[in-house]
Amino acid sequence: MLENLKNHEAGLKKQYGDAVNLDARTQLHENYSTNKKNWFHWVFEQIDIPNNARLLEVGACDGKLWSKNLSDIPTNWNIYVSDQSQGMIDKAQENLMASKDRFHFNVFNANSIPYADNYF
């Protein structure tokens, strides 16, 4: 059992250590999807969050949810972008470079979120 867990974790680190594989999959969907609405725009439309909100996205990967919807994000939202992969956070910072002062970037595992309860 422990060996399976170690193999699983090693596979995750290899697959998601940086955004290269994710970028390839995202590009396939963007180029060949039959859905007329972009996935990131559709997801963003489902979010019902009040003004002055403090948000935490756990497992944000490369931050494309935010970069693809940047013009629609209220300026008074306080957004924390997190992932367990430093490579993903590096890519998120790159994708959000033009507005990086609107975001906070953190590397941590979802099992140990470094914020107090009810902070978000």
Side-chain angles (χ1 to χ4, degrees):
M1 179 89 158
L2 185 57
E3 187 63 32
N4 286 342
L5 181 59
K6 286 181 182 178
N7 288 338
H8 178 71
E9 288 176 356
L12 284 176
K13 284 182 181 177
K14 182 178 179 183
Q15 183 71 17
Y16 296 105
D18 59 33
V20 172
N21 292 330
L22 181 63
D23 284 344
R25 287 192 302 276
T26 301
Q27 197 61 48
L28 282 171
H29 287 285
E30 287 181 356
N31 290 340
Y32 301 106
S33 178
T34 57
N35 189 347
K36 292 181 179 20
K37 181 164 281 258
N38 177 280
W39 168 255
F40 297 106
H41 295 294
W42 180 85
V43 169
F44 190 81
E45 288 174 359
Q46 308 313 303
I47 299 172
D48 184 20
I49 299 172
N51 287 329
N52 297 318
R54 187 180 307 144
L55 312 170
L56 171 64
E57 183 180 13
V58 177
C61 295
D62 59 4
K64 282 196 180 154
L65 172 63
W66 307 109
S67 65
K68 296 280 187 177
N69 292 290
L70 201 53
S71 63
D72 295 321
I73 298 172
T75 56
N76 55 358
W77 281 8
N78 198 357
I79 303 171
Y80 291 69
V81 177
S82 71
D83 199 278
Q84 69 178 358
S85 164
Q86 181 65 55
M88 289 292 187
I89 290 299
D90 291 345
K91 187 66 175 184
Q93 288 177 307
E94 180 183 320
N95 286 337
L96 295 163
M97 182 62 71
S99 299
K100 70 178 182 177
D101 58 322
R102 296 179 61 193
F103 297 90
H104 306 272
F105 301 92
N106 302 106
V107 176
F108 60 82
N109 185 297
N111 292 325
S112 56
I113 297 173
Y115 297 99
D117 289 350
N118 300 316
Y119 187 75
F120 298 98

